[in-house]
Amino acid sequence: MNKMIMNRLTMLAVTLMASMACFAQGKGGKLATGLPNPGLTKGKTFYYKGVEYELTRDPEGDVALYYVKAIGFEKTLLDNFDLMDEEPLNNDLTIFHYEIPKQGQTGIPFIVESVNANAFQDVDATLAEKIKRLIIEHSEDARVNGACVELPTTGSTFAGLTGLKTIDSRIPGESLQEISEDTFAENVYNKATLIVPEGSLKAYNGTDFWSYFYKVTDGDHIKGDVDGDNKVNAWDFQLILEAFLYNDPYDPLFDLDGDGKITAFDAQLVLDIFKVY
């Protein structure tokens, strides 16, 4: 056979094999960014911005609204981890609450009622490292009727997201419910920053097991920073200890475990927090 033809066939084979390898690794693809289509019923699933959701009930009559729960990652993301670095995710994993069509969009609005226990427990280490922020949305829309995204009290819901630097929980303190002790990985409880709604610091500090987070802020105050200098240090420890020893009037900023009183344990917590900053 002509040597030139042989060379061309060889190059073609190499190109084909490289293409097949890329395909096998799942490179490419786009995340679902549109709202789900009409016609879904209980138990059916759809993808939306990196997350897979499952309908928890059949739509009621002619009401164009889906009630759903988050059950894991969108398959497209699992096929191509690099999508986590790009729009629309940009290294954020969001659990939405109430999504409606934006201008020019079509599709059925949906309300996220809950997240499955262990939904994000087993995560490939490469993908986990790319997820830097978890956002848990909250809507006050009338159709939500005061409900929040319900997080399980058992299981390891987000424990596989070991690369988290920030958890942005938008659930207001007055609506907060306890979570499982194993909801997050230990390194996340110890090192990541929990951002909570303004005025909700005491509620998060006093609710199992949100209270496990050392680094917590509501934008105005930092957990453990009782003197307001935006630092947690030995001076904060001293102030809380003195408040305990001299039975000072109750101050919620000094109540780091949210139990309604100032004790030596609150002072100890300041030292524990200081160690992780």
Side-chain angles (χ1 to χ4, degrees), residues 179-242:
I179 58 176
S180 165
E181 180 179 7
D182 300 317
T183 294
F184 295 94
E186 183 177 357
N187 74 297
V188 173
Y189 278 124
N190 293 344
K191 299 291 187 180
T193 298
L194 172 62
I195 300 173
V196 305
E198 185 177 353
S200 296
L201 195 62
K202 183 176 183 295
Y204 277 82
N205 288 347
T207 301
D208 291 340
F209 282 88
W210 292 104
S211 59
Y212 270 32
F213 281 96
Y214 283 133
K215 297 182 178 182
V216 188
T217 179
D218 67 353
D220 286 335
H221 301 99
I222 297 171
K223 182 177 182 177
D225 173 30
V226 297
D227 63 356
D229 66 352
N230 291 318
K231 296 182 289 185
V232 180
N233 52 33
W235 180 239
D236 298 299
F237 167 78
Q238 181 69 26
L239 288 174
I240 293 182
L241 189 60
E242 289 179 356

Short mmCIF file of all heavy atoms in Angstrom, two decimals, residues 179-242:
data_model
loop_
_atom_site.label_atom_id
_atom_site.label_comp_id
_atom_site.label_asym_id
_atom_site.label_seq_id
_atom_site.Cartn_x
_atom_site.Cartn_y
_atom_site.Cartn_z
N ILE A 179 -30.55 19.92 61.60
CA ILE A 179 -30.04 19.05 60.56
C ILE A 179 -29.29 17.89 61.20
O ILE A 179 -29.06 17.87 62.42
CB ILE A 179 -29.10 19.80 59.58
CG1 ILE A 179 -27.92 20.43 60.34
CG2 ILE A 179 -29.88 20.85 58.80
CD1 ILE A 179 -26.89 21.10 59.45
N SER A 180 -28.90 16.92 60.40
CA SER A 180 -28.14 15.78 60.89
C SER A 180 -26.73 16.21 61.28
O SER A 180 -26.13 17.11 60.68
CB SER A 180 -28.05 14.70 59.79
OG SER A 180 -27.06 13.75 60.09
N GLU A 181 -26.20 15.55 62.28
CA GLU A 181 -24.82 15.78 62.70
C GLU A 181 -23.85 15.54 61.56
O GLU A 181 -22.78 16.15 61.49
CB GLU A 181 -24.49 14.88 63.88
CG GLU A 181 -23.08 15.02 64.42
CD GLU A 181 -22.84 14.12 65.62
OE1 GLU A 181 -23.74 13.30 65.93
OE2 GLU A 181 -21.76 14.23 66.22
N ASP A 182 -24.21 14.64 60.65
CA ASP A 182 -23.33 14.26 59.54
C ASP A 182 -23.71 14.94 58.23
O ASP A 182 -23.26 14.51 57.15
CB ASP A 182 -23.37 12.75 59.34
CG ASP A 182 -22.92 11.99 60.58
OD1 ASP A 182 -21.93 12.41 61.19
OD2 ASP A 182 -23.57 10.99 60.94
N THR A 183 -24.51 16.00 58.29
CA THR A 183 -24.92 16.70 57.07
C THR A 183 -23.72 17.19 56.28
O THR A 183 -23.68 17.09 55.05
CB THR A 183 -25.84 17.88 57.40
OG1 THR A 183 -27.07 17.37 57.94
CG2 THR A 183 -26.17 18.70 56.16
N PHE A 184 -22.72 17.74 56.97
CA PHE A 184 -21.52 18.25 56.33
C PHE A 184 -20.30 17.47 56.82
O PHE A 184 -20.32 16.87 57.90
CB PHE A 184 -21.33 19.74 56.63
CG PHE A 184 -22.39 20.62 56.06
CD1 PHE A 184 -23.50 20.98 56.82
CD2 PHE A 184 -22.31 21.09 54.76
CE1 PHE A 184 -24.49 21.80 56.30
CE2 PHE A 184 -23.29 21.90 54.22
CZ PHE A 184 -24.39 22.25 54.99
N ALA A 185 -19.24 17.50 56.02
CA ALA A 185 -17.98 16.86 56.41
C ALA A 185 -17.36 17.61 57.59
O ALA A 185 -17.57 18.82 57.76
CB ALA A 185 -17.02 16.84 55.22
N GLU A 186 -16.58 16.92 58.37
CA GLU A 186 -15.97 17.53 59.56
C GLU A 186 -15.11 18.73 59.19
O GLU A 186 -15.14 19.76 59.87
CB GLU A 186 -15.14 16.49 60.31
CG GLU A 186 -14.54 17.03 61.61
CD GLU A 186 -13.77 15.98 62.39
OE1 GLU A 186 -13.75 14.81 61.94
OE2 GLU A 186 -13.19 16.33 63.44
N ASN A 187 -14.33 18.61 58.10
CA ASN A 187 -13.47 19.73 57.73
C ASN A 187 -14.28 20.95 57.31
O ASN A 187 -13.82 22.09 57.47
CB ASN A 187 -12.51 19.32 56.60
CG ASN A 187 -13.21 19.19 55.26
OD1 ASN A 187 -14.09 18.35 55.10
ND2 ASN A 187 -12.82 20.00 54.27
N VAL A 188 -15.49 20.73 56.81
CA VAL A 188 -16.36 21.86 56.43
C VAL A 188 -16.91 22.53 57.67
O VAL A 188 -16.91 23.77 57.78
CB VAL A 188 -17.49 21.37 55.51
CG1 VAL A 188 -18.50 22.48 55.25
CG2 VAL A 188 -16.90 20.88 54.19
N TYR A 189 -17.38 21.76 58.64
CA TYR A 189 -17.83 22.34 59.91
C TYR A 189 -16.72 23.18 60.54
O TYR A 189 -16.97 24.25 61.11
CB TYR A 189 -18.23 21.25 60.89
CG TYR A 189 -19.63 20.69 60.72
CD1 TYR A 189 -19.83 19.32 60.53
CD2 TYR A 189 -20.75 21.51 60.77
CE1 TYR A 189 -21.10 18.79 60.40
CE2 TYR A 189 -22.03 21.00 60.64
CZ TYR A 189 -22.21 19.63 60.46
OH TYR A 189 -23.47 19.11 60.33
N ASN A 190 -15.48 22.70 60.45
CA ASN A 190 -14.38 23.36 61.15
C ASN A 190 -13.81 24.56 60.40
O ASN A 190 -13.37 25.53 61.04
CB ASN A 190 -13.24 22.36 61.39
CG ASN A 190 -13.61 21.27 62.37
OD1 ASN A 190 -14.59 21.39 63.10
ND2 ASN A 190 -12.84 20.20 62.38
N LYS A 191 -13.80 24.51 59.07
CA LYS A 191 -13.04 25.51 58.30
C LYS A 191 -13.89 26.42 57.42
O LYS A 191 -13.50 27.57 57.15
CB LYS A 191 -12.02 24.79 57.42
CG LYS A 191 -10.98 23.97 58.18
CD LYS A 191 -10.02 24.84 58.95
CE LYS A 191 -8.89 24.02 59.57
NZ LYS A 191 -7.94 24.86 60.33
N ALA A 192 -15.02 25.94 56.92
CA ALA A 192 -15.83 26.74 55.99
C ALA A 192 -16.59 27.83 56.75
O ALA A 192 -16.84 27.73 57.95
CB ALA A 192 -16.80 25.84 55.24
N THR A 193 -16.95 28.88 56.02
CA THR A 193 -17.72 29.98 56.60
C THR A 193 -19.20 29.80 56.29
O THR A 193 -19.58 29.62 55.13
CB THR A 193 -17.25 31.33 56.04
OG1 THR A 193 -15.88 31.53 56.41
CG2 THR A 193 -18.08 32.47 56.60
N LEU A 194 -20.01 29.82 57.33
CA LEU A 194 -21.46 29.76 57.19
C LEU A 194 -22.01 31.17 57.20
O LEU A 194 -21.86 31.90 58.19
CB LEU A 194 -22.07 28.94 58.33
CG LEU A 194 -23.60 28.92 58.44
CD1 LEU A 194 -24.23 28.31 57.20
CD2 LEU A 194 -24.04 28.19 59.70
N ILE A 195 -22.64 31.57 56.10
CA ILE A 195 -23.26 32.89 56.00
C ILE A 195 -24.76 32.72 56.21
O ILE A 195 -25.41 31.91 55.54
CB ILE A 195 -22.99 33.53 54.63
CG1 ILE A 195 -21.47 33.69 54.42
CG2 ILE A 195 -23.68 34.89 54.51
CD1 ILE A 195 -21.11 34.16 53.03
N VAL A 196 -25.32 33.48 57.16
CA VAL A 196 -26.74 33.34 57.51
C VAL A 196 -27.43 34.68 57.34
O VAL A 196 -26.78 35.73 57.26
CB VAL A 196 -26.88 32.83 58.96
CG1 VAL A 196 -26.10 31.53 59.14
CG2 VAL A 196 -26.44 33.87 59.98
N PRO A 197 -28.76 34.69 57.28
CA PRO A 197 -29.48 35.96 57.11
C PRO A 197 -29.24 36.91 58.30
O PRO A 197 -28.97 36.47 59.42
CB PRO A 197 -30.95 35.53 57.05
CG PRO A 197 -30.91 34.11 56.60
CD PRO A 197 -29.67 33.53 57.21
N GLU A 198 -29.34 38.18 58.02
CA GLU A 198 -29.14 39.19 59.06
C GLU A 198 -30.07 38.94 60.24
O GLU A 198 -31.26 38.69 60.08
CB GLU A 198 -29.40 40.59 58.48
CG GLU A 198 -29.10 41.71 59.45
CD GLU A 198 -29.29 43.07 58.83
OE1 GLU A 198 -29.52 43.15 57.60
OE2 GLU A 198 -29.22 44.08 59.56
N GLY A 199 -29.50 38.99 61.43
CA GLY A 199 -30.28 38.79 62.64
C GLY A 199 -30.52 37.35 63.01
O GLY A 199 -31.23 37.06 63.98
N SER A 200 -29.93 36.41 62.26
CA SER A 200 -30.20 34.98 62.48
C SER A 200 -29.04 34.25 63.16
O SER A 200 -29.07 33.03 63.29
CB SER A 200 -30.50 34.28 61.15
OG SER A 200 -31.68 34.79 60.57
N LEU A 201 -28.03 34.99 63.61
CA LEU A 201 -26.84 34.37 64.17
C LEU A 201 -27.18 33.51 65.39
O LEU A 201 -26.74 32.36 65.49
CB LEU A 201 -25.82 35.45 64.55
CG LEU A 201 -24.40 34.99 64.83
CD1 LEU A 201 -23.77 34.35 63.61
CD2 LEU A 201 -23.54 36.17 65.28
N LYS A 202 -27.97 34.03 66.31
CA LYS A 202 -28.30 33.29 67.52
C LYS A 202 -29.07 32.02 67.19
O LYS A 202 -28.83 30.96 67.78
CB LYS A 202 -29.12 34.16 68.48
CG LYS A 202 -29.43 33.49 69.81
CD LYS A 202 -30.17 34.45 70.74
CE LYS A 202 -30.43 33.79 72.09
NZ LYS A 202 -31.33 32.64 72.00
N ALA A 203 -29.98 32.09 66.24
CA ALA A 203 -30.77 30.92 65.87
C ALA A 203 -29.88 29.81 65.31
O ALA A 203 -30.03 28.63 65.67
CB ALA A 203 -31.84 31.30 64.85
N TYR A 204 -28.95 30.16 64.45
CA TYR A 204 -28.06 29.15 63.88
C TYR A 204 -27.10 28.60 64.95
O TYR A 204 -26.81 27.40 64.95
CB TYR A 204 -27.27 29.73 62.71
CG TYR A 204 -28.05 29.71 61.40
CD1 TYR A 204 -28.97 30.69 61.09
CD2 TYR A 204 -27.85 28.69 60.47
CE1 TYR A 204 -29.69 30.67 59.90
CE2 TYR A 204 -28.55 28.66 59.27
CZ TYR A 204 -29.47 29.65 58.99
OH TYR A 204 -30.18 29.63 57.81
N ASN A 205 -26.65 29.47 65.85
CA ASN A 205 -25.74 29.01 66.90
C ASN A 205 -26.43 28.03 67.85
O ASN A 205 -25.77 27.19 68.47
CB ASN A 205 -25.22 30.20 67.71
CG ASN A 205 -24.22 31.04 66.94
OD1 ASN A 205 -23.72 30.62 65.90
ND2 ASN A 205 -23.93 32.23 67.45
N GLY A 206 -27.76 28.14 67.98
CA GLY A 206 -28.48 27.33 68.93
C GLY A 206 -29.27 26.19 68.34
O GLY A 206 -30.07 25.56 69.04
N THR A 207 -29.07 25.89 67.05
CA THR A 207 -29.85 24.84 66.39
C THR A 207 -28.93 23.69 65.98
O THR A 207 -27.93 23.90 65.29
CB THR A 207 -30.57 25.39 65.14
OG1 THR A 207 -31.44 26.45 65.54
CG2 THR A 207 -31.40 24.29 64.48
N ASP A 208 -29.26 22.47 66.42
CA ASP A 208 -28.49 21.29 66.00
C ASP A 208 -28.71 21.05 64.52
O ASP A 208 -29.85 21.10 64.05
CB ASP A 208 -28.94 20.05 66.77
CG ASP A 208 -28.54 20.10 68.25
OD1 ASP A 208 -27.62 20.86 68.59
OD2 ASP A 208 -29.18 19.38 69.03
N PHE A 209 -27.69 20.75 63.74
CA PHE A 209 -26.29 20.80 64.08
C PHE A 209 -25.62 21.93 63.30
O PHE A 209 -24.43 21.85 62.99
CB PHE A 209 -25.64 19.44 63.78
CG PHE A 209 -25.94 18.41 64.83
CD1 PHE A 209 -27.07 17.63 64.75
CD2 PHE A 209 -25.12 18.27 65.93
CE1 PHE A 209 -27.34 16.70 65.72
CE2 PHE A 209 -25.37 17.33 66.91
CZ PHE A 209 -26.50 16.54 66.81
N TRP A 210 -26.41 22.96 63.03
CA TRP A 210 -25.84 24.19 62.48
C TRP A 210 -24.83 24.76 63.47
O TRP A 210 -23.89 25.47 63.09
CB TRP A 210 -26.94 25.21 62.21
CG TRP A 210 -27.89 24.85 61.11
CD1 TRP A 210 -29.18 24.40 61.25
CD2 TRP A 210 -27.66 24.91 59.70
NE1 TRP A 210 -29.75 24.17 60.02
CE2 TRP A 210 -28.84 24.48 59.05
CE3 TRP A 210 -26.56 25.29 58.92
CZ2 TRP A 210 -28.95 24.42 57.66
CZ3 TRP A 210 -26.66 25.22 57.54
CH2 TRP A 210 -27.85 24.79 56.92
N SER A 211 -25.06 24.47 64.74
CA SER A 211 -24.19 24.98 65.80
C SER A 211 -22.77 24.44 65.70
O SER A 211 -21.86 24.97 66.35
CB SER A 211 -24.77 24.64 67.17
OG SER A 211 -24.92 23.24 67.32
N TYR A 212 -22.54 23.40 64.90
CA TYR A 212 -21.20 22.83 64.76
C TYR A 212 -20.26 23.72 63.97
O TYR A 212 -19.05 23.55 64.04
CB TYR A 212 -21.29 21.46 64.06
CG TYR A 212 -21.45 20.29 65.01
CD1 TYR A 212 -22.13 20.43 66.21
CD2 TYR A 212 -20.96 19.04 64.69
CE1 TYR A 212 -22.29 19.36 67.07
CE2 TYR A 212 -21.10 17.96 65.54
CZ TYR A 212 -21.76 18.12 66.73
OH TYR A 212 -21.91 17.05 67.58
N PHE A 213 -20.80 24.66 63.20
CA PHE A 213 -19.93 25.55 62.42
C PHE A 213 -19.21 26.52 63.35
O PHE A 213 -19.82 27.17 64.19
CB PHE A 213 -20.76 26.34 61.39
CG PHE A 213 -21.11 25.55 60.16
CD1 PHE A 213 -22.34 24.92 60.07
CD2 PHE A 213 -20.22 25.44 59.11
CE1 PHE A 213 -22.68 24.19 58.94
CE2 PHE A 213 -20.55 24.71 57.98
CZ PHE A 213 -21.77 24.08 57.89
N TYR A 214 -17.91 26.61 63.16
CA TYR A 214 -17.12 27.56 63.94
C TYR A 214 -17.19 28.97 63.34
O TYR A 214 -17.32 29.95 64.06
CB TYR A 214 -15.66 27.12 64.00
CG TYR A 214 -15.38 25.99 64.97
CD1 TYR A 214 -14.61 24.90 64.59
CD2 TYR A 214 -15.88 26.03 66.27
CE1 TYR A 214 -14.35 23.87 65.48
CE2 TYR A 214 -15.62 25.00 67.17
CZ TYR A 214 -14.86 23.93 66.77
OH TYR A 214 -14.59 22.91 67.65
N LYS A 215 -17.07 29.03 62.02
CA LYS A 215 -17.05 30.34 61.35
C LYS A 215 -18.45 30.68 60.85
O LYS A 215 -18.92 30.10 59.87
CB LYS A 215 -16.07 30.32 60.17
CG LYS A 215 -14.62 30.08 60.56
CD LYS A 215 -13.74 30.13 59.32
CE LYS A 215 -12.28 29.96 59.66
NZ LYS A 215 -11.41 30.06 58.46
N VAL A 216 -19.11 31.61 61.53
CA VAL A 216 -20.49 31.97 61.18
C VAL A 216 -20.62 33.49 61.20
O VAL A 216 -20.11 34.15 62.12
CB VAL A 216 -21.52 31.37 62.18
CG1 VAL A 216 -22.94 31.59 61.68
CG2 VAL A 216 -21.25 29.89 62.42
N THR A 217 -21.29 34.05 60.21
CA THR A 217 -21.54 35.49 60.18
C THR A 217 -22.89 35.78 59.57
O THR A 217 -23.35 35.06 58.68
CB THR A 217 -20.45 36.23 59.38
OG1 THR A 217 -20.75 37.64 59.36
CG2 THR A 217 -20.36 35.73 57.95
N ASP A 218 -23.54 36.83 60.06
CA ASP A 218 -24.79 37.30 59.46
C ASP A 218 -24.59 38.61 58.72
O ASP A 218 -25.55 39.30 58.37
CB ASP A 218 -25.89 37.45 60.52
CG ASP A 218 -25.62 38.57 61.52
OD1 ASP A 218 -24.51 39.15 61.47
OD2 ASP A 218 -26.51 38.87 62.33
N GLY A 219 -23.33 38.93 58.47
CA GLY A 219 -23.00 40.18 57.78
C GLY A 219 -22.71 41.32 58.72
O GLY A 219 -21.88 42.19 58.42
N ASP A 220 -23.34 41.32 59.90
CA ASP A 220 -23.10 42.34 60.90
C ASP A 220 -22.18 41.85 62.01
O ASP A 220 -21.37 42.61 62.56
CB ASP A 220 -24.42 42.82 61.53
CG ASP A 220 -25.23 43.69 60.59
OD1 ASP A 220 -24.62 44.33 59.70
OD2 ASP A 220 -26.46 43.74 60.74
N HIS A 221 -22.32 40.58 62.36
CA HIS A 221 -21.56 40.03 63.48
C HIS A 221 -20.92 38.70 63.07
O HIS A 221 -21.43 38.01 62.19
CB HIS A 221 -22.46 39.80 64.70
CG HIS A 221 -23.14 41.03 65.19
ND1 HIS A 221 -24.45 41.34 64.88
CD2 HIS A 221 -22.68 42.05 65.97
CE1 HIS A 221 -24.77 42.49 65.44
NE2 HIS A 221 -23.72 42.94 66.10
N ILE A 222 -19.82 38.39 63.74
CA ILE A 222 -19.11 37.13 63.56
C ILE A 222 -19.25 36.33 64.84
O ILE A 222 -19.09 36.87 65.95
CB ILE A 222 -17.62 37.36 63.24
CG1 ILE A 222 -17.46 38.12 61.92
CG2 ILE A 222 -16.86 36.04 63.18
CD1 ILE A 222 -16.04 38.57 61.63
N LYS A 223 -19.55 35.05 64.72
CA LYS A 223 -19.64 34.19 65.89
C LYS A 223 -18.33 34.26 66.69
O LYS A 223 -17.26 34.01 66.17
CB LYS A 223 -19.92 32.75 65.46
CG LYS A 223 -20.07 31.76 66.60
CD LYS A 223 -20.42 30.39 66.06
CE LYS A 223 -20.64 29.37 67.16
NZ LYS A 223 -21.04 28.03 66.63
N GLY A 224 -18.44 34.64 67.98
CA GLY A 224 -17.27 34.73 68.84
C GLY A 224 -16.66 36.10 68.95
O GLY A 224 -15.88 36.36 69.86
N ASP A 225 -17.00 37.00 68.03
CA ASP A 225 -16.45 38.36 68.06
C ASP A 225 -17.37 39.24 68.91
O ASP A 225 -18.21 39.97 68.39
CB ASP A 225 -16.32 38.90 66.63
CG ASP A 225 -15.91 40.37 66.61
OD1 ASP A 225 -15.20 40.80 67.55
OD2 ASP A 225 -16.30 41.07 65.66
N VAL A 226 -17.20 39.19 70.21
CA VAL A 226 -18.12 39.90 71.10
C VAL A 226 -17.75 41.37 71.29
O VAL A 226 -18.58 42.17 71.74
CB VAL A 226 -18.22 39.20 72.46
CG1 VAL A 226 -18.79 37.80 72.28
CG2 VAL A 226 -16.88 39.14 73.17
N ASP A 227 -16.50 41.76 70.95
CA ASP A 227 -16.13 43.16 71.09
C ASP A 227 -16.27 43.94 69.78
O ASP A 227 -16.00 45.15 69.73
CB ASP A 227 -14.72 43.31 71.65
CG ASP A 227 -13.65 42.73 70.73
OD1 ASP A 227 -14.02 42.15 69.69
OD2 ASP A 227 -12.46 42.86 71.07
N GLY A 228 -16.67 43.27 68.71
CA GLY A 228 -17.00 43.96 67.46
C GLY A 228 -15.83 44.45 66.65
O GLY A 228 -15.98 45.36 65.83
N ASP A 229 -14.65 43.84 66.82
CA ASP A 229 -13.49 44.30 66.05
C ASP A 229 -13.22 43.42 64.83
O ASP A 229 -12.16 43.50 64.22
CB ASP A 229 -12.24 44.36 66.94
CG ASP A 229 -11.80 42.98 67.43
OD1 ASP A 229 -12.54 41.99 67.21
OD2 ASP A 229 -10.73 42.91 68.06
N ASN A 230 -14.19 42.56 64.48
CA ASN A 230 -14.11 41.66 63.32
C ASN A 230 -13.00 40.64 63.46
O ASN A 230 -12.50 40.11 62.46
CB ASN A 230 -13.93 42.47 62.03
CG ASN A 230 -15.17 43.25 61.67
OD1 ASN A 230 -16.29 42.76 61.80
ND2 ASN A 230 -14.98 44.49 61.25
N LYS A 231 -12.63 40.33 64.69
CA LYS A 231 -11.65 39.29 64.97
C LYS A 231 -12.12 38.47 66.16
O LYS A 231 -12.87 38.95 67.00
CB LYS A 231 -10.27 39.90 65.29
CG LYS A 231 -9.63 40.65 64.15
CD LYS A 231 -8.26 41.18 64.52
CE LYS A 231 -8.37 42.32 65.53
NZ LYS A 231 -7.04 42.92 65.82
N VAL A 232 -11.71 37.21 66.18
CA VAL A 232 -11.97 36.36 67.34
C VAL A 232 -10.63 36.07 67.99
O VAL A 232 -9.75 35.46 67.38
CB VAL A 232 -12.68 35.05 66.93
CG1 VAL A 232 -12.94 34.18 68.16
CG2 VAL A 232 -13.98 35.34 66.21
N ASN A 233 -10.46 36.54 69.24
CA ASN A 233 -9.16 36.40 69.90
C ASN A 233 -9.32 36.24 71.40
O ASN A 233 -10.43 36.07 71.92
CB ASN A 233 -8.25 37.59 69.56
CG ASN A 233 -8.93 38.93 69.83
OD1 ASN A 233 -9.74 39.03 70.76
ND2 ASN A 233 -8.60 39.93 69.04
N ALA A 234 -8.19 36.33 72.11
CA ALA A 234 -8.18 36.11 73.56
C ALA A 234 -9.01 37.16 74.29
O ALA A 234 -9.55 36.89 75.38
CB ALA A 234 -6.75 36.11 74.07
N TRP A 235 -9.12 38.35 73.71
CA TRP A 235 -9.90 39.41 74.37
C TRP A 235 -11.38 39.03 74.40
O TRP A 235 -12.07 39.27 75.40
CB TRP A 235 -9.68 40.73 73.65
CG TRP A 235 -10.44 41.88 74.25
CD1 TRP A 235 -11.36 42.67 73.63
CD2 TRP A 235 -10.34 42.38 75.58
NE1 TRP A 235 -11.85 43.62 74.48
CE2 TRP A 235 -11.24 43.47 75.70
CE3 TRP A 235 -9.59 42.02 76.71
CZ2 TRP A 235 -11.40 44.20 76.88
CZ3 TRP A 235 -9.74 42.74 77.89
CH2 TRP A 235 -10.64 43.80 77.96
N ASP A 236 -11.87 38.43 73.33
CA ASP A 236 -13.25 37.96 73.32
C ASP A 236 -13.47 36.89 74.38
O ASP A 236 -14.50 36.87 75.08
CB ASP A 236 -13.62 37.42 71.94
CG ASP A 236 -13.53 38.48 70.86
OD1 ASP A 236 -14.26 39.47 70.95
OD2 ASP A 236 -12.73 38.30 69.93
N PHE A 237 -12.49 36.00 74.52
CA PHE A 237 -12.55 34.97 75.56
C PHE A 237 -12.64 35.61 76.94
O PHE A 237 -13.47 35.22 77.77
CB PHE A 237 -11.31 34.07 75.48
CG PHE A 237 -11.12 33.19 76.66
CD1 PHE A 237 -11.87 32.03 76.83
CD2 PHE A 237 -10.17 33.51 77.64
CE1 PHE A 237 -11.69 31.21 77.93
CE2 PHE A 237 -9.98 32.70 78.74
CZ PHE A 237 -10.74 31.55 78.89
N GLN A 238 -11.81 36.62 77.16
CA GLN A 238 -11.80 37.29 78.46
C GLN A 238 -13.14 37.94 78.76
O GLN A 238 -13.66 37.84 79.89
CB GLN A 238 -10.67 38.33 78.49
CG GLN A 238 -10.53 39.09 79.80
CD GLN A 238 -10.02 38.22 80.93
OE1 GLN A 238 -9.33 37.22 80.67
NE2 GLN A 238 -10.36 38.56 82.17
N LEU A 239 -13.72 38.59 77.77
CA LEU A 239 -14.99 39.28 77.98
C LEU A 239 -16.11 38.30 78.33
O LEU A 239 -16.94 38.56 79.22
CB LEU A 239 -15.36 40.08 76.73
CG LEU A 239 -14.54 41.34 76.46
CD1 LEU A 239 -14.93 41.94 75.11
CD2 LEU A 239 -14.72 42.36 77.58
N ILE A 240 -16.16 37.18 77.61
CA ILE A 240 -17.21 36.20 77.88
C ILE A 240 -17.00 35.56 79.26
O ILE A 240 -17.95 35.35 80.02
CB ILE A 240 -17.26 35.13 76.78
CG1 ILE A 240 -17.73 35.75 75.46
CG2 ILE A 240 -18.19 33.99 77.18
CD1 ILE A 240 -17.85 34.77 74.32
N LEU A 241 -15.75 35.26 79.58
CA LEU A 241 -15.46 34.64 80.87
C LEU A 241 -15.87 35.58 82.01
O LEU A 241 -16.46 35.13 83.01
CB LEU A 241 -13.98 34.30 80.97
CG LEU A 241 -13.56 33.47 82.18
CD1 LEU A 241 -14.29 32.13 82.19
CD2 LEU A 241 -12.05 33.26 82.18
N GLU A 242 -15.57 36.86 81.86
CA GLU A 242 -15.95 37.83 82.89
C GLU A 242 -17.47 37.95 82.99
O GLU A 242 -18.02 38.07 84.09
CB GLU A 242 -15.32 39.19 82.60
CG GLU A 242 -13.81 39.21 82.81
CD GLU A 242 -13.20 40.56 82.49
OE1 GLU A 242 -13.95 41.46 82.01
OE2 GLU A 242 -11.99 40.73 82.70
#
